């Protein structure tokens, strides 16, 4: 009975060391010796079987010496720093897109009512804040810190002064590529800084009422900052004659916002 010699099946996808190839009778092309740059030990090379039936070398395995381990730790730490920096840049881009000024990127919520607002936020109850205080009391800082917390949590946020909001809406209504009234009405959180500083003409007050009323009716939270207590905001906003709209705005703010008074002096002068 005739017998045929057993033929070794050579898997072109398997990796071999020189020792493993010799054990299976597979010819290898000559190696160019590679040594560890840290301890000088010869490195084990691995390769696979090419169409010519020989093992061709692909790469050398890392050494297990302390020098190589230390280098790997250094590289891992560097990669981690790069990932963290990329995340920081990405987050800052989101803050900038939300309208948060660069000087407030690192702002942290510090006032107890504001801390409670962020921690206990109930999506859908429409509860907001009215942060009031004198010049330099830290209103914008606190509001920006709240806005940053919401950005970090994945909410859509727009932060701007009342004047800037009205300017953007006006420009959008006249064909420019800026945020329109729907954007300010629809954001998960809207931060309106320096309420009461805007022009008090009919268009401005009526437009401001549209935004406040829409957010009030749809239970979307708004954080306002102002130098003016609510009881004096009506006269401030109605100085152009739009008292009815001004009263309606203040009524909705009072009905949906907790008042947060900031009584300390000008922080800018102290810094």
């Amino acid at each position: 009975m005739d017998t045929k010699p057993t033929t070794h099946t050579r898997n072109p996808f398997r990796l071999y060391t020189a020792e493993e190839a010799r054990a299976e009778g597979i010819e290898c092309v000559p190696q160019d010796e590679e040594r560890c740059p840290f301890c000088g030990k010869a490195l084990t090379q691995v390769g696979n079987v090419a169409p010519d039936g020989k093992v061709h070398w692909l790469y050398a395995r890392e050494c297990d010496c302390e020098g190589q381990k230390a280098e790997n730790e250094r590289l891992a730490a560097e990669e981690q720093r790069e990932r963290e920096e990329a995340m920081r840049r990405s987050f800052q881009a989101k803050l900038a897109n939300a309208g948060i000024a660069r000087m407030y990127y690192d702002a942290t919520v510090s006032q107890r009512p504001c801390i409670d607002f962020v921690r206990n936020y109930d999506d859908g109850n429409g509860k907001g804040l009215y942060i009031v205080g004198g010049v330099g009391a830290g209103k914008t800082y606190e509001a920006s810190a709240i806005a940053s917390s919401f950005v970090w949590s994945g909410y859509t946020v727009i932060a701007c002064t009342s004047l800037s909001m009205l300017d953007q809406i006006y420009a959008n209504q006249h064909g420019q590529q800026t945020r329109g009234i729907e954007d300010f009405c629809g954001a998960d959180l809207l931060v309106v800084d320096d309420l009461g500083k805007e022009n008090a003409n009919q268009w401005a007050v009526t437009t401001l009422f549209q935004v406040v009323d829409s957010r009030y009716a749809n239970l979307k939270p708004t954080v306002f900052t102002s130098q003016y207590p609510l009881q004096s905001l009506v006269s401030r906003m109605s100085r152009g004659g739009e008292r009815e709209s001004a009263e309606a705005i203040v009524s909705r703010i009072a009905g949906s916002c907790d008042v947060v008074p900031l009584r300390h002096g000008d922080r800018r002068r102290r810094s």
Side-chain angles (χ1 to χ4, degrees):
M1 178 175 167
D2 294 335
T3 59
K4 294 183 178 179
T6 301
T7 302
H8 176 72
T9 302
R10 299 178 178 182
N11 184 350
F13 302 106
R14 177 183 166 184
L15 295 177
Y16 295 88
T17 65
E19 183 179 354
E20 291 167 344
R22 282 195 297 270
E24 297 192 18
I26 305 173
E27 187 178 352
C28 304
V29 300
Q31 290 185 356
D32 292 327
E33 185 178 68
E34 294 189 42
R35 292 188 172 275
C36 173
F38 302 100
C39 71
K41 184 173 72 176
L43 299 176
T44 299
Q45 297 187 48
V46 294
N48 61 3
V49 178
D52 63 3
K54 301 177 181 179
V55 172
H56 288 248
W57 307 111
L58 300 175
Y59 64 90
R61 288 176 177 164
E62 279 187 352
C63 187
D64 60 358
C65 70
E66 292 303 315
Q68 183 64 63
K69 290 178 182 177
E71 175 65 5
N72 290 345
E73 290 174 359
R74 185 191 69 79
L75 292 174
E78 185 175 311
E79 290 174 2
Q80 178 64 23
R81 285 194 298 271
E82 290 175 354
R83 284 193 296 269
E84 291 173 354
E85 177 62 19
M87 288 178 62
R88 187 185 68 83
R89 288 196 299 268
S90 175
F91 182 56
Q92 288 188 348
K94 292 178 181 179
L95 295 180
N97 185 61
I100 299 169
R102 186 178 184 86
M103 68 184 297
Y104 299 118
Y105 282 178
D106 296 323
T108 55
V109 184
S110 60
Q111 300 298 309
R112 174 50 58 185
C114 300
I115 293 171
D116 291 342
F117 174 75
V118 172
R119 286 181 175 172
N120 304 322
Y121 173 66
D122 181 6
D123 191 3
N125 75 354
K127 199 69 175 177
L129 297 174
Y130 187 79
I131 304 173
V132 60
V135 174
K139 304 182 298 296
T140 303
Y141 178 96
E142 201 71 23
S144 297
I146 293 171
S148 297
S149 298
F150 275 70
V151 171
W152 182 259
S153 297
Y155 292 99
T156 57
V157 177
I158 299 178
C160 57
T161 64
S162 60
L163 180 60
S164 172
M165 179 178 70
L166 293 170
D167 282 347
Q168 291 180 66
I169 292 172
Y170 183 86
N172 180 268
Q173 291 175 348
H174 289 78
Q176 296 184 35
Q177 295 300 310
T178 59
R179 288 188 172 109
I181 194 167
E182 298 83 3
D183 298 304
F184 295 99
C185 292
D188 294 330
L189 177 71
L190 176 64
V191 174
V192 179
D193 196 24
D194 271 335
L195 186 64
K197 292 292 187 65
E198 65 285 336
N199 196 314
N201 62 37
Q202 181 181 17
W203 178 88
V205 178
T206 301
T207 301
L208 186 57
F209 170 76
Q210 286 181 271
V211 174
V212 173
D213 181 62
S214 174
R215 297 188 64 80
Y216 176 81
N218 289 291
L219 300 178
K220 290 185 173 293
T222 306
V223 172
F224 299 93
T225 78
S226 180
Q227 292 181 33
Y228 307 98
L230 281 174
Q231 59 268 28
S232 62
L233 187 61
V234 171
S235 59
R236 175 67 186 175
M237 296 184 70
S238 62
R239 64 192 188 277
E242 287 298 310
R243 187 170 186 84
E244 185 175 330
S245 294
E247 289 177 344
I249 291 169
V250 174
S251 173
R252 283 157 177 76
I253 294 174
S256 62
C257 294
D258 291 331
V259 176
V260 182
L262 300 183
R263 295 190 173 89
H264 40 72
D266 191 338
R267 294 173 56 168
R268 300 188 191 100
R269 291 180 180 272
R270 296 199 305 269
S271 61

